[in-house]
Amino acid sequence: MRITGIEKIKVVVPSKPDTVNSPELRDPMHMLVLDGKPAWQVQFDQIWKYVYRVWTDEGIEGLGESYRGVNSQVVDGIIASLIGADPMKMNLRDLPIAWSREYDGFEAAMFDLVGKKLGVPTYRLLGGAYREAIDVDCWTGRRTTADAVRKAREGCEAGFHGIKFKCNLQDDVVAWAEGVRVACGPAFRIVLDPNARFERPAEVLRFARQLEAVGNIQCLEDPVPRWNLHWYRLLREKTALPIALHVALPYLELGQMLQDTVKAIQLEAVDYFNFNCGIANFVRMADVADAAGIPCWHGSEVDLGILEAAYLHACAAARNCTLRSDIFGELVREDDLILAPHEIKNGRAPVPQAPGLGVQLDPKAVEKYRVG
């Protein structure tokens, strides 16, 4: 099987109304420099992605999806290098393309092609599935207290068992937690993700005891700057709130790398991991954490249906991926660009069972959101 052509389709898919931040809170979430703009200046749903269609001489088509704002020149170079290549002769854990933020979108397409060729779903190429459906949380951005409680109640009524909030030191997260406990009950859990904007352990400890008393915090994810994992270890010693580290390999330019997992384990700095990366590397990092007895979940960039299919397969193949994952693009974006959306019921998303990634592109939706 030889690759004969690759089409890249540039799309922008906005968020649905009332899914991200409260109207009075402007808080762009893109952490990387983009087109000369500093980090944290552009909202994620205003940034383009690529959808990839990979054709072969056997008539098998593979699908891929990039992260937002990838480098188009790097993408073109990868496309040129893959023309004429045989995916069946590739090591899917180490593709013959340079490691970069652009890698994972093409990796998804290669797994899709090989799975379709062999007639098996992607998780079979990873050794098999530990579970048929993946537990997922609902999600929102930064909110006023009233909005935070409202969004949590909506999630609870939809069958979810927890919610993830973005936040910073200006937000009254204790009031959020107290309001959510009243609205949803103590079993409905909260992940607080300030993206390291709690600044230092002293700031966290000012309200940690209050959050402990409320009793519905699942964990603090990346509470303080992640360059200092000793601070994570200190927080574990000073508070009963579980501490999670987000290792996002697409943020290579921010210094995040696979070895962060090993460092955090060595320092006993975390209770949980959030891993965000491609298919093979997710299972690789999950296995490292599993050896240390640490559970994990799958992160995201609020993606579309193709990448989320890849996430579901990776979660299924990782034994310790037992925490609720960030697979919620279906709930946030206007469209996921696939014909059959991922069906999330009672906080669980089934793993696709068709060969490859198990999803089909929706050409009408692609044309609607195509740009450039």
Side-chain angles (χ1 to χ4, degrees):
M1 179 171 64
R2 300 281 180 182
I3 295 173
T4 57
I6 301 176
E7 181 185 14
K8 62 173 187 179
I9 306 170
K10 196 174 187 179
V11 296
V12 174
V13 182
S15 295
K16 301 174 185 176
D18 191 37
T19 55
V20 187
N21 298 325
S22 292
E24 53 267 60
L25 298 177
R26 183 186 181 277
D27 191 14
M29 296 183 197
H30 188 66
M31 296 173 63
L32 305 176
V33 173
L34 180 72
D35 295 336
K37 300 182 181 69
W40 304 105
Q41 298 300 307
V42 184
Q43 192 57 283
F44 68 87
D45 63 342
Q46 301 170 11
I47 304 172
W48 48 268
K49 284 169 155 275
Y50 284 126
V51 170
Y52 304 123
R53 300 180 67 186
V54 183
W55 293 294
T56 68
D57 58 358
E58 296 185 9
I60 299 173
E61 179 183 332
L63 297 177
E65 175 192 329
S66 77
Y67 298 119
R68 59 182 182 253
V70 292
N71 186 309
S72 60
Q73 289 183 313
V74 174
V75 167
D76 289 343
I78 292 173
I79 289 174
S81 73
L82 289 174
I83 299 299
D86 183 355
M88 296 300 295
K89 294 182 179 179
M90 295 179 185
N91 185 328
L92 293 176
R93 298 180 62 187
D94 187 15
L95 296 176
I97 58 179
W99 171 246
S100 62
R101 181 171 168 81
E102 292 70 28
Y103 182 99
D104 294 346
F106 290 98
E107 181 203 47
M110 296 305 106
F111 268 97
D112 196 32
L113 284 172
V114 173
K116 288 174 177 175
K117 170 71 173 179
L118 297 177
V120 298
T122 288
Y123 66 77
R124 284 290 175 199
L125 303 176
L126 300 168
Y130 285 100
R131 54 198 66 86
E132 295 180 352
I134 308 305
D135 292 326
V136 299
D137 264 345
C138 58
W139 175 93
T140 191
R142 285 185 59 217
R143 294 283 176 175
T144 63
T145 299
D147 259 1
V149 174
R150 175 177 62 84
K151 295 304 291 185
R153 184 186 295 112
E154 290 174 1
C156 185
E157 292 173 350
F160 290 93
H161 304 287
I163 188 169
K164 181 173 182 175
F165 290 114
K166 298 293 183 179
C167 53
N168 63 28
L169 286 173
Q170 283 70 56
D171 299 316
D172 191 348
V173 294
V174 175
W176 292 4
E178 291 172 340
V180 171
R181 180 185 170 93
V182 171
C184 304
F188 189 85
R189 313 297 285 177
I190 296 172
V191 175
L192 293 176
D193 179 14
N195 291 117
R197 291 180 290 183
F198 285 166
E199 296 180 0
R200 57 189 66 85
E203 303 290 353
V204 180
L205 294 173
R206 286 191 299 107
F207 52 81
R209 295 288 182 265
Q210 295 171 275
L211 289 176
E212 290 175 18
V214 180
N216 60 351
I217 301 299
Q218 173 79 15
C219 66
L220 303 180
E221 178 187 342
D222 281 5
V224 291
R226 54 191 316 288
W227 62 265
N228 193 341
L229 290 179
H230 291 279
W231 281 356
Y232 284 70
R233 166 71 181 265
L234 178 64
L235 286 174
R236 285 193 74 211
E237 294 173 346
K238 297 292 185 181
T239 175
L241 299 173
I243 305 299
L245 180 69
H246 187 178
V247 183
L249 299 189
Y251 294 159
L252 178 68
E253 64 188 83
L254 298 180
Q256 298 196 34
M257 60 184 68
L258 185 147
Q259 288 79 7
D260 291 346
T261 307
V262 178
K263 293 176 184 177
I265 292 170
Q266 289 173 329
L267 290 173
E268 299 183 1
V270 299
D271 297 282
Y272 308 140
F273 282 109
N274 173 4
F275 294 133
N276 183 27
C277 54
I279 298 169
N281 275 328
F282 177 83
V283 176
R284 187 180 180 189
M285 288 198 291
D287 284 345
V288 172
D290 188 37
I294 300 176
C296 69
W297 77 89
H298 204 303
S300 80
E301 293 190 1
V302 195
D303 297 299
L304 306 176
I306 298 170
L307 268 186
E308 291 207 327
Y311 298 163
L312 290 169
H313 287 284
C315 290
R319 180 169 61 179
N320 62 328
C321 184
T322 54
L323 302 174
R324 292 189 293 272
S325 288
D326 298 340
I327 301 175
F328 42 62
E330 177 69 32
L331 309 175
V332 177
R333 300 274 193 168
E334 283 186 2
D335 203 294
D336 56 11
L337 307 190
I338 57 176
L339 284 175
H342 301 297
E343 189 175 12
I344 301 175
K345 288 186 177 181
N346 297 319
R348 290 176 63 79
V351 180
Q353 296 299 313
L357 296 179
V359 295
Q360 294 178 284
L361 200 61
D362 182 344
K364 291 184 179 179
V366 169
E367 287 305 311
K368 178 179 178 179
Y369 293 102
R370 183 195 289 263
V371 298

